[in-house]
Amino acid sequence: MAGLVIPVAEWAALHDLVHRYAARVDERDFAGVAQLFGGDGVLVLPDPPHDFGPVREHPSPEGVAAALSVLDDVPLTAHGITGVVFDPGGNPAARGRITCVAHHVGPRDGRFADAVWHRHYLDRYAKTGGGWRFARREAHLDLLDTREVRATRLGR
Protein backbone atom coordinates (compact mmCIF):
# COMPACT_ATOMS: atom_id res chain seq x y z
CA MET A 1 0.00 0.00 0.00
CA ALA A 2 2.97 2.34 0.19
CA GLY A 3 2.41 3.35 -3.45
CA LEU A 4 -1.05 4.74 -2.58
CA VAL A 5 0.17 7.26 -0.02
CA ILE A 6 0.63 10.96 -0.71
CA PRO A 7 3.64 12.39 1.16
CA VAL A 8 2.61 14.56 4.13
CA ALA A 9 3.85 17.85 2.61
CA GLU A 10 1.93 17.18 -0.62
CA TRP A 11 -1.17 16.11 1.33
CA ALA A 12 -1.03 19.35 3.33
CA ALA A 13 -0.72 21.44 0.17
CA LEU A 14 -3.70 19.67 -1.44
CA HIS A 15 -5.69 20.04 1.78
CA ASP A 16 -4.93 23.76 1.75
CA LEU A 17 -6.02 24.02 -1.90
CA VAL A 18 -9.49 22.56 -1.32
CA HIS A 19 -10.04 24.67 1.81
CA ARG A 20 -8.94 27.83 0.00
CA TYR A 21 -11.49 27.07 -2.71
CA ALA A 22 -14.29 26.94 -0.10
CA ALA A 23 -13.08 30.04 1.73
CA ARG A 24 -12.72 32.11 -1.43
CA VAL A 25 -16.19 31.12 -2.61
CA ASP A 26 -17.63 32.22 0.75
CA GLU A 27 -15.68 35.49 0.49
CA ARG A 28 -16.97 36.02 -3.09
CA ASP A 29 -13.37 36.13 -4.32
CA PHE A 30 -14.11 34.44 -7.62
CA ALA A 31 -10.92 35.74 -9.23
CA GLY A 32 -9.05 34.14 -6.32
CA VAL A 33 -10.90 30.86 -6.87
CA ALA A 34 -9.98 31.00 -10.56
CA GLN A 35 -6.29 31.29 -9.62
CA LEU A 36 -6.59 27.89 -7.93
CA PHE A 37 -7.14 26.31 -11.38
CA GLY A 38 -4.42 25.59 -13.89
CA GLY A 39 -4.57 27.47 -17.19
CA ASP A 40 -6.50 24.64 -18.80
CA GLY A 41 -8.40 23.71 -15.63
CA VAL A 42 -12.10 22.89 -15.80
CA LEU A 43 -14.90 23.24 -13.26
CA VAL A 44 -17.90 20.99 -13.96
CA LEU A 45 -21.11 21.83 -12.10
CA PRO A 46 -24.48 20.13 -11.64
CA ASP A 47 -27.72 21.67 -12.92
CA PRO A 48 -30.19 21.16 -10.06
CA PRO A 49 -32.95 20.23 -9.78
CA HIS A 50 -32.68 18.47 -13.17
CA ASP A 51 -29.17 17.01 -12.93
CA PHE A 52 -27.35 16.30 -9.68
CA GLY A 53 -24.23 15.13 -11.51
CA PRO A 54 -21.56 17.27 -13.16
CA VAL A 55 -22.99 18.39 -16.52
CA ARG A 56 -22.02 22.04 -17.11
CA GLU A 57 -18.35 22.49 -18.03
CA HIS A 58 -16.58 25.77 -17.37
CA PRO A 59 -13.07 25.66 -18.85
CA SER A 60 -10.25 28.06 -17.99
CA PRO A 61 -9.86 30.26 -14.94
CA GLU A 62 -12.06 32.90 -16.61
CA GLY A 63 -14.82 30.34 -17.11
CA VAL A 64 -14.55 29.27 -13.47
CA ALA A 65 -14.89 32.86 -12.23
CA ALA A 66 -17.86 33.50 -14.51
CA ALA A 67 -19.62 30.29 -13.42
CA LEU A 68 -19.25 31.09 -9.73
CA SER A 69 -20.34 34.71 -10.12
CA VAL A 70 -23.98 33.52 -9.95
CA LEU A 71 -23.36 33.34 -6.19
CA ASP A 72 -23.25 37.15 -6.13
CA ASP A 73 -27.05 36.89 -5.87
CA VAL A 74 -26.82 34.75 -2.71
CA PRO A 75 -26.25 37.01 0.31
CA LEU A 76 -24.46 34.39 2.43
CA THR A 77 -22.78 31.04 1.85
CA ALA A 78 -20.89 28.82 4.24
CA HIS A 79 -18.98 25.82 2.92
CA GLY A 80 -17.78 23.20 5.37
CA ILE A 81 -15.34 20.57 4.17
CA THR A 82 -16.36 17.32 5.88
CA GLY A 83 -13.91 14.86 4.33
CA VAL A 84 -10.82 14.69 2.16
CA VAL A 85 -9.20 11.71 0.48
CA PHE A 86 -6.21 12.12 -1.82
CA ASP A 87 -4.55 9.53 -4.01
CA PRO A 88 -1.55 9.71 -6.31
CA GLY A 89 -2.56 10.22 -9.92
CA GLY A 90 0.78 10.06 -11.68
CA ASN A 91 3.75 12.36 -11.41
CA PRO A 92 3.12 15.25 -10.82
CA ALA A 93 -0.61 14.70 -10.41
CA ALA A 94 -3.09 13.58 -7.78
CA ARG A 95 -6.77 12.79 -7.40
CA GLY A 96 -9.16 13.66 -4.63
CA ARG A 97 -12.64 13.03 -3.30
CA ILE A 98 -13.84 15.93 -1.18
CA THR A 99 -17.12 15.99 0.73
CA CYS A 100 -18.75 19.27 1.61
CA VAL A 101 -21.88 20.79 3.10
CA ALA A 102 -22.68 24.12 1.46
CA HIS A 103 -25.21 26.52 2.95
CA HIS A 104 -26.79 29.10 0.63
CA VAL A 105 -28.75 31.65 2.67
CA GLY A 106 -31.09 34.17 1.11
CA PRO A 107 -34.43 35.92 1.57
CA ARG A 108 -37.64 33.96 1.17
CA ASP A 109 -41.13 35.12 2.11
CA GLY A 110 -39.84 37.95 4.32
CA ARG A 111 -37.42 35.70 6.22
CA PHE A 112 -34.20 33.89 5.46
CA ALA A 113 -33.97 30.34 4.13
CA ASP A 114 -30.96 28.07 3.86
CA ALA A 115 -30.60 25.85 0.81
CA VAL A 116 -28.25 23.15 2.13
CA TRP A 117 -26.28 21.28 -0.53
CA HIS A 118 -24.55 18.07 0.50
CA ARG A 119 -22.04 17.47 -2.23
CA HIS A 120 -18.86 15.74 -3.15
CA TYR A 121 -16.16 16.75 -5.58
CA LEU A 122 -14.10 14.41 -7.70
CA ASP A 123 -10.89 16.31 -8.35
CA ARG A 124 -7.80 15.94 -10.47
CA TYR A 125 -4.85 18.09 -9.44
CA ALA A 126 -1.71 19.06 -11.30
CA LYS A 127 1.47 20.36 -9.71
CA THR A 128 2.69 23.53 -11.40
CA GLY A 129 5.47 26.00 -10.76
CA GLY A 130 3.00 27.82 -8.51
CA GLY A 131 2.09 24.68 -6.54
CA TRP A 132 -0.92 22.40 -6.75
CA ARG A 133 -3.84 23.54 -8.92
CA PHE A 134 -7.15 22.05 -9.94
CA ALA A 135 -6.90 20.38 -13.35
CA ARG A 136 -10.53 19.27 -13.19
CA ARG A 137 -13.11 19.67 -10.43
CA GLU A 138 -16.41 17.82 -10.85
CA ALA A 139 -19.14 18.81 -8.39
CA HIS A 140 -21.76 16.17 -7.57
CA LEU A 141 -24.87 17.14 -5.63
CA ASP A 142 -25.93 14.32 -3.29
CA LEU A 143 -28.74 15.87 -1.26
CA LEU A 144 -30.56 19.19 -1.37
CA ASP A 145 -32.53 20.46 1.62
CA THR A 146 -34.11 23.80 2.50
CA ARG A 147 -34.43 25.07 6.06
CA GLU A 148 -35.80 28.15 7.72
CA VAL A 149 -33.15 30.33 9.34
CA ARG A 150 -33.86 31.99 12.72
CA ALA A 151 -31.06 34.54 12.50
CA THR A 152 -27.88 35.31 10.55
CA ARG A 153 -25.32 38.07 10.51
CA LEU A 154 -27.60 39.50 7.80
CA GLY A 155 -30.42 39.89 10.36
CA ARG A 156 -33.57 37.96 11.26
Side-chain angles (χ1 to χ4, degrees), residues 25-96:
V25 168
D26 290 342
E27 294 164 354
R28 301 303 187 273
D29 179 7
F30 305 129
V33 173
Q35 292 174 355
L36 301 176
F37 283 76
D40 57 353
V42 178
L43 175 63
V44 191
L45 298 174
D47 187 19
H50 310 294
D51 273 308
F52 277 39
V55 294
R56 295 181 297 134
E57 287 200 6
H58 304 279
S60 79
E62 296 78 20
V64 169
L68 294 176
S69 69
V70 301
L71 290 174
D72 278 334
D73 295 335
V74 180
L76 176 67
T77 60
H79 289 75
I81 306 298
T82 58
V84 296
V85 175
F86 301 115
D87 291 308
N91 193 12
R95 294 185 179 274

Side-chain angles (χ1 to χ4, degrees), residues 46-49 51-54 116-120 139-144:
D47 187 19
D51 273 308
F52 277 39
V116 184
W117 295 31
H118 296 261
R119 63 188 337 166
H120 71 276
H140 298 253
L141 184 55
D142 299 314
L143 172 67
L144 179 57

Side-chain angles (χ1 to χ4, degrees), residues 5-16 86 132:
V5 176
I6 300 262
V8 172
E10 301 297 327
W11 185 94
L14 290 165
H15 191 268
D16 183 67
F86 301 115
W132 287 102

